[in-house]
Structure formats: C-alpha cells, structure tokens
Amino acid sequence: SPISAASSTPRNKQNCPPLGLESLRVDDSQIQASSYQRSGLGPHRGRLNIQSGIEDGDLYDGAWCAEYKDRHQWLEVDALHLTLFTGVILQGRNSIWSWDWVETYKVQLSNDSVTWHTSMNGTQEALFEGNQNPETPVLGLLPVPTVARFIRINPQTWYSNGTVCLRAEILGCRVHDPSDIYSAHESGSKDALDFRHHNYKEMRKLMKSVTEECPDITRVYTIGRSYMGLKLYVMEISDNPGKHELGEPEFRYVAGMHGNEALGRELVLNLMQYMCKEYKKGNQRIVRLVTETRIHLLPSMNPDGYEEAYVKGSELSGWAEGRYSFEGIDLNHNFPDLNNIMWDTQEKAADKSKVPNHYIPIPEYYTKEDATVAPETRAVISWMQDIPFVLSANLHGGELVVTYPFDCTRDWAPQEDTPTADNAFFRWLASVYASTNLVMANPDRRICHYEEFQSHNNIINGGAWHTVPGMNDFSYLHTNCFEVTVELSCDKFPHVSELPIEWENNKESLLVYMEQVHRGIKGVVRDKLTKKGIADAIIKVEDHDHDIRSAADGDYWRLLNPGEYKVIVWAVGYFPSMRRCNVGMEPNPTICDFILTKTPIQRLKEIRAKGEKIPQDLQLRLRALRLRKLRASTKAINRRREGQRMRKARSSQAWKA
C-alpha cells in the first residue's frame, strides 16, 4: 500500500509520543542497520541516552556505528503497526574515548521494508540537521507527518574527525488498523490519577488539591528553600497530621535529588493521590498504613534542576541537564563522609567497643558558613535531625536496581562491597522493592545500559557499584533511619505516555516497602519513678554493631529480621536493662518496653540541683553504696597488702638459702 501523508494536519498539532527506543519498549529485534562495526556498536545500541561501558571495544558501547563511512548507511526501526511518524531525535555516540556524531541525515519510510520513500520538503528530499556534539539531543520534525510501518535514518554527513554513529528516538502516533495483529490496547493504569509531568506550580496545585480532598489525613509543610528560592514541599499523610504519636514510626520517600530524574517525582505525587482516594474508599491496607505510620513525601529535593530539565522536556533534556542544583552541586555527593571518620577512629582506638557506631557527629569543616553545602542539602539534614525517621528510600532514575548501604567504601576504593552491621536487613529491604517491581522482577528484561543486575536479583551494595558518601550512609550513621536508593527506570525522564505504566510497575513496591517500617522491635524507654519517656537512651542489639537511640518521648524502633535478640538499653544516669525480644515473620513489630532505674548518684545530683531535701530511702541507698565501695576498697587494699607480704616472705627465704 502507498505511503500516506497527513498533510492537512498542522505540524505544531503533532504531539506524538516516542516509540520507546530509550524506554526499551521497542525491542532489539525491531531495530536493524545497513552495517555495524561490531556487536557492541550494533543497531540495538542506537537508543537515545544509552550509556556506554568504561572500555571502548566491549559489548556495551554507546551508539550504533556503521561499518562504512558513506551515505548508503541506515538505521531502521519497525514500529510493528501503522504509525503516523512525526519526528526523529538524534544524539551522537556516548564515549569518553572518541567523538562521533551525525551532522545531517535523511528520513525514509516504508510499509513493507522493501519499497522506501524519502521524506520530502516540498519537491525536494528533506535534509534534517543532526548534532554538533555527542550529547545534546536534536529534534527533527518531518515537514509532512507520514503514515508507515518502517522508518529509516539515513546519515548524509558526520563529524569530520569521526564516523557514522548515532543514538535515536522516533516520534509517532499509532494508527488504528483493524487488520493489525499487534494493535491490541496497550496497558495503562486503572487508577484515576493525574498522569503528567508537573512543574513547580503544578506540583503545588496538585498537593493542595490532595489536602483539600483529604484534610483529615494530610498536611503540607516546607523544610526550606532551594538556591533559587523554590520551597521544598513535603506532604505528610497520617491519621493525626502535624504530630508525632508515641510508638508510631516515621517514614519518608525523597525524590528528585537529581532534578532530571523525573519519574520519582511523579510516582510520589501519584502515591499522595492514590493513598487519599483509597483511604476514602476504605481500602484496609491503606487505612492501616495511614493509622499506624506517619508518612512524609518529598517529591522534589532539587526543584531548580527539575525546572531546567522540564523546559527541555522528556526527550530533549539529555542525560544530565537538570541533574545538578542551580549552583552545579550534585546533591547526592554533598553529604559529609561520616563513614571514613568512623572507620579511622575505630582503627586508631585501643578499645573499639568505646568508639561510637551511630549518631556520628557532623565534622566541623562541614558546618562552616563558607562550606560548599547546598541549601537543599542543609534543609534535608535539618529535617532528618528534627523527625525520628525509621525507614526511607530515595528515588532516582537511569537504571533498574536497588542499592543499599554502605555506599561509601573504605579509603575511597572505586568499587568494593562494603556492608553495614545491618547488611542482612538492608538486603531484605532492597529485595522487597526489587522483587515486587514489575520490570525488575521480569527475568527477560533487557539491561538498561551496560551493567547486568539480574544476576544479583536487582539489588547491590552501593559501594560495590560506585562509591559516594551520599544520603543513605548519612541517614544510617547520623540518625536512626535506614535508607536505600531505588533506581526506578532506564529512562530518567519518561514521556508522559509512559507514566501510567510506570505507576503500575512501582505501585506495589512503593506500598510494600513502606510496610517494612513495622518489622523488628519497638517500645518505650521509661523512668521507673516518673514513668516519663527517656530521650536518647541507647538501644544495643547483641551481635549488631550499630546502636540506635530513643526519640524525644522515649519511644524507639529497631528494624530487625526474624529471630531472637538480646537487647540492652542504657541512658546517662541510669542502670542498664536487658531483655530478650523475639521477632516473628509477620510485619508487625514486637513490643519491647524498658523501665530504667536512676543511679543513686544521679538522683542525688538532681535533688541537690533543685535544693530539695534528700529522702530517707535515697540516704539509705547512698549509705549502702558507700559501704559497698568501702568494703570493695578494703578488700582490694587487703589483697594488695597480702601480696606484698607474700613477696617479702619469698624474698627472705631466697636470701637465707
């Protein structure tokens, strides 16, 4: 059948989505080429934003590269069904060793992959402008949107010192065809959510609309501002918003640390809407989460970077535009390295048990006014210090894997497995998300770029991937909060048409991960006399070299896998207390409360400070304590004297002999 052109449709009305080369919706089998240099530069590598491995010459290079440098080379995509093609987006080769890109190209279209027609600009063959560098994506719109099944990109000129290499995305709208066996309805989502990319103003509107729909369980607050003055908004979801309830754990999701990794932002906004709607419907799972957990959702940690990426859009922002803060800071590299401070102290210490393994203080250099610390980072650190978070995940994009601490390696080794004292539980947390994510859990999925994570069950220790003293490690070492990083998708900034599918891919994972905050043990540490909660009591689990502390009201949460644990709790001025706590298989915490008794000396200090009379029972206890000390010191003196007497006697006998 002849190629048909939609000449009556104005070009600016053609708002067709990408076919999905970048998102991997287009299968490798749908992409062919006239030639290629080797398998690592085959047609399946000609995908927008694909990243190469470190070494040139491996199986995972950063583009399709033709074997020959002539104008007869082409990259062909089979859309599988009739499609109204509207444009091509082109990029050069991703490589740290070589520069290659296509400067001009033609587009050819076909219904059968045998007879081809060149896209025309009036009476002449259209010549499209390509790239001037390897990374900036360039959009070429067809002068006349055209219906066909196959499309070819035919390079005409290329960088003079390079070769014919490109990465591409194709824009096209599916045409309804009753005879097309592939035209089954694409999967989306049954949830009635606002599936689109929200800039700063639209994000504020959406959050406001959720609070208006569910005022009893939601609250929006701010934790600070970005460098450009945009507020960092947080949505709280709880049955008692604005208040920490005794024994109720605090959970957070953080998205948009890298501004161009837009999927996390949209998923967090989806989650707000979903929880509101389902709570109102009486969905018992959501009701339980809302009533038993205080949930905090930060959709955009780097709003300045997002606004920059948003202007270019999902296909044209490239791999890095908007990643950094307005000041050019990578926020995930902006947290202090507490890991090596702890490790260095442990190595130098004569008694390692005396070295703190938690609540590592922020180093002085980091707190100075002239320190290179972004206002966004400072705001998040202050937030982490204010609220006793128990569990968190920060949402990224560009890969499909869940990473867990430590992310920073000893002595900054580039890649080295660096487990925490809670390695088993962190692996559980990562597995919970990865195993319920519909794409990660698919054994037949294609790798995103050049790293194959399926053999690791789509989880990896952060330090074994690439070292960074990031938010996860800071959260674990400076606060009580366990945190992982979720790389949500191969495509950092999916097209709006992909958002319903991505929500379905991640919905169960987002919910089941939140539910893990209820694993392990929890309780309240109280003063025996006053029954008041004791803040900053240290909770130590035997054989777990990472302690946590009680919150301001004395409540605590210790995430643990199933098993029996010896737990010791102590606080300044109190005698320690020990209990055995058993953690079951179900995600319900075991209640393990502790009552601590003040030491007599501590009681005496407090009474004297108040100028009160010392009660008789304390006088008796102090007298008994003095007697015990006197007896102990007397025994020690007598033992020492007896030892001296025995040595003298032996010496006298030796002299006589």
Side-chain angles (χ1 to χ4, degrees):
S1 59
I3 297 293
S4 60
S7 56
S8 60
T9 309
R11 187 169 65 181
N12 61 359
K13 294 292 184 185
Q14 290 305 321
N15 191 23
C16 287
L19 291 190
L21 275 76
E22 182 179 11
S23 68
L24 307 183
R25 195 163 48 166
V26 171
D27 190 73
D28 287 352
S29 63
Q30 293 172 247
I31 315 173
Q32 297 185 48
S34 52
S35 66
Y36 52 92
Q37 291 179 16
R38 49 184 169 76
S39 59
L41 291 166
H44 65 293
R45 302 296 294 175
R47 298 171 179 273
L48 192 73
N49 284 321
I50 204 162
Q51 302 294 294
S52 69
I54 299 299
E55 298 294 331
D56 272 4
D58 65 13
L59 291 171
Y60 305 110
D61 224 318
W64 160 66
C65 290
E67 185 178 1
Y68 309 106
K69 291 170 68 171
D70 61 44
R71 294 181 178 179
H72 303 298
Q73 305 308 307
W74 45 261
L75 182 76
E76 177 184 315
V77 178
D78 178 3
L80 297 180
H81 45 75
L82 287 179
T83 300
L84 178 66
F85 291 111
T86 61
V88 171
I89 298 170
L90 220 61
Q91 213 175 19
R93 177 181 175 183
N94 176 256
S95 171
I96 58 174
W97 309 106
S98 56
W99 277 34
D100 301 291
W101 59 81
V102 168
E103 292 182 335
T104 62
Y105 63 98
K106 292 181 179 180
V107 173
Q108 297 159 350
L109 302 126
S110 172
N111 283 336
D112 55 11
S113 194
V114 176
T115 305
W116 291 88
H117 300 269
T118 302
S119 176
M120 303 296 287
N121 191 1
T123 58
Q124 294 184 322
E125 293 184 345
L127 189 67
F128 297 87
E129 288 189 17
N131 303 106
Q132 296 299 316
N133 63 57
E135 290 298 331
T136 306
V138 175
L139 169 64
L141 288 170
L142 273 60
V144 180
T146 305
V147 175
R149 172 174 163 177
F150 300 90
I151 187 168
R152 278 182 178 176
I153 300 167
N154 172 216
Q156 297 297 294
T157 59
W158 42 90
Y159 177 52
S160 56
N161 291 334
T163 187
V164 181
C165 294
L166 62 85
R167 293 175 285 169
E169 183 60 88
I170 308 295
L171 303 182
C173 296
R174 174 178 261 178
V175 175
H176 178 66
D177 179 5
S179 65
D180 184 358
I181 61 171
Y182 297 102
S183 65
H185 179 69
E186 286 190 356
S187 60
S189 175
K190 293 177 182 176
D191 295 322
L193 308 178
D194 187 7
F195 291 117
R196 61 193 170 104
H197 287 292
H198 297 78
N199 65 12
Y200 180 70
K201 288 182 179 177
E202 290 164 342
M203 180 185 76
R204 289 202 321 181
K205 282 181 189 173
L206 185 144
M207 294 175 78
K208 185 171 184 287
S209 72
V210 173
T211 58
E212 287 170 352
E213 189 177 347
C214 293
D216 296 339
I217 62 163
T218 60
R219 177 180 73 108
V220 173
Y221 64 96
T222 62
I223 59 170
R225 290 179 183 266
S226 70
Y227 183 84
M228 293 300 289
L230 301 182
K231 290 180 180 178
L232 305 183
Y233 286 107
V234 178
M235 167 78 75
E236 179 192 338
I237 302 179
S238 163
D239 62 339
N240 196 354
K243 184 177 184 295
H244 172 74
E245 295 181 70
L246 190 72
E248 188 171 290
E250 309 259 0
F251 177 93
R252 71 171 182 259
Y253 273 129
V254 175
M257 175 183 280
H258 295 142
N260 63 332
E261 294 168 15
L263 179 56
R265 176 191 185 104
E266 296 309 320
L267 289 176
V268 169
L269 295 176
N270 292 157
L271 185 62
M272 295 172 190
Q273 300 168 71
Y274 177 80
M275 293 191 74
C276 168
K277 291 176 188 297
E278 293 300 305
Y279 181 85
K280 287 173 72 176
K281 287 180 188 174
N283 179 328
Q284 283 306 296
R285 184 184 193 186
I286 302 304
V287 169
R288 195 178 308 114
L289 266 171
V290 171
T291 54
E292 295 179 1
T293 322
R294 191 177 178 213
I295 299 161
H296 305 257
L297 306 175
L298 171 61
S300 186
M301 181 176 167
N302 180 6
D304 296 349
Y306 177 81
E307 293 297 296
E308 183 186 349
Y310 179 84
V311 169
K312 289 285 185 72
S314 62
E315 277 63 64
L316 298 180
S317 59
W319 186 251
E321 190 156 359
R323 172 186 177 89
Y324 306 102
S325 74
F326 186 85
E327 300 170 276
I329 295 171
D330 186 327
L331 298 182
N332 199 34
H333 295 238
N334 200 220
F335 288 82
D337 173 13
L338 304 183
N339 307 56
N340 284 291
I341 290 174
M342 179 181 72
W343 292 326
D344 291 346
T345 308
Q346 286 174 347
E347 283 180 15
K348 292 171 186 172
D351 184 356
K352 287 184 173 53
S353 66
K354 296 284 195 294
V355 177
N357 60 24
H358 71 303
Y359 273 46
I360 311 297
I362 294 173
E364 188 180 345
Y365 76 85
Y366 190 87
T367 61
K368 292 181 178 175
E369 281 188 27
D370 61 348
T372 308
V373 184
E376 297 89 344
T377 313
R378 292 181 191 272
V380 167
I381 287 176
S382 178
W383 184 43
M384 294 162 78
Q385 291 171 331
D386 288 345
I387 296 174
F389 291 113
V390 180
L391 181 62
S392 172
N394 67 78
L395 308 179
H396 288 243
E399 256 302 348
L400 276 166
V401 68
V402 183
T403 75
Y404 54 90
F406 285 122
D407 289 339
C408 190
T409 56
R410 288 175 183 265
D411 303 317
W412 290 80
Q415 287 182 319
E416 187 174 82
D417 190 71
T418 313
T420 65
D422 290 285
N423 192 54
F425 194 81
F426 271 119
R427 286 181 62 83
W428 165 260
L429 287 172
S431 297
V432 162
Y433 200 102
S435 64
T436 52
N437 179 282
L438 299 186
V439 181
M440 289 189 209
N442 179 3
D444 300 321
R445 76 171 174 89
R446 184 194 188 281
I447 67 166
C448 287
H449 300 283
Y450 56 89
E451 292 179 285
E452 195 276 296
F453 292 112
Q454 282 103 315
S455 59
H456 302 285
N457 294 317
N458 304 297
I459 69 170
I460 192 169
N461 173 264
W465 188 21
H466 53 72
T467 187
V468 52
M471 188 168 166
N472 291 357
D473 291 4
F474 179 84
S475 181
Y476 182 69
L477 291 174
H478 187 67
T479 76
N480 289 336
C481 187
F482 286 36
E483 183 166 313
V484 304
T485 290
V486 182
E487 298 282 350
L488 292 162
S489 63
C490 303
D491 186 351
K492 288 184 176 184
F493 200 145
H495 188 267
V496 64
S497 61
E498 303 274 358
L499 295 179
I501 300 162
E502 291 291 3
W503 166 249
E504 289 301 320
N505 289 340
N506 287 278
K507 177 167 69 172
E508 176 60 23
S509 309
L510 290 165
L511 295 174
V512 76
Y513 185 82
M514 281 195 286
E515 289 168 341
Q516 305 314 304
V517 77
H518 296 286
R519 288 198 177 272
I521 61 173
K522 76 171 187 178
V524 183
V525 183
R526 288 190 170 91
D527 181 290
K528 186 178 180 180
L529 281 177
T530 66
K531 302 296 186 288
K532 288 182 180 177
I534 301 170
D536 286 326
I538 296 172
I539 293 91
K540 182 175 188 62
V541 178
E542 192 175 53
D543 299 325
H544 284 62
D545 193 22
H546 180 80
D547 305 336
I548 63 154
R549 300 196 183 201
S550 59
D553 297 328
D555 43 354
Y556 78 91
W557 306 262
R558 182 55 165 98
L559 298 175
L560 291 164
N561 280 326
E564 187 177 309
Y565 299 93
K566 180 181 175 184
V567 184
I568 302 162
V569 174
W570 72 89
V572 174
Y574 290 88
F575 290 116
S577 177
M578 189 277 285
R579 282 189 66 180
R580 293 197 176 273
C581 306
N582 189 65
V583 177
M585 299 295 288
E586 294 300 313
N588 299 313
T590 299
I591 307 298
C592 246
D593 293 329
F594 286 85
I595 303 292
L596 298 190
T597 303
K598 274 188 185 148
T599 62
I601 291 170
Q602 179 66 23
R603 281 184 67 195
L604 181 64
K605 281 181 184 174
E606 292 174 5
I607 288 167
R608 281 180 173 165
K610 293 175 184 176
E612 295 175 353
K613 186 180 177 183
I614 300 170
Q616 192 172 5
D617 72 308
L618 181 56
Q619 289 181 23
L620 292 172
R621 288 195 66 185
L622 288 167
R623 192 178 300 158
L625 187 63
R626 289 192 201 100
L627 283 171
R628 279 204 300 274
K629 283 185 176 178
L630 181 63
R631 289 192 192 107
S633 61
T634 303
K635 282 182 182 177
I637 291 167
N638 288 340
R639 277 198 302 270
R640 191 164 62 248
R641 285 175 177 167
E642 182 63 18
Q644 290 171 347
R645 190 185 65 76
M646 293 291 289
R647 283 196 294 277
K648 281 182 181 177
R650 283 197 295 271
S651 173
S652 175
Q653 288 171 0
W655 183 78
K656 287 178 182 176

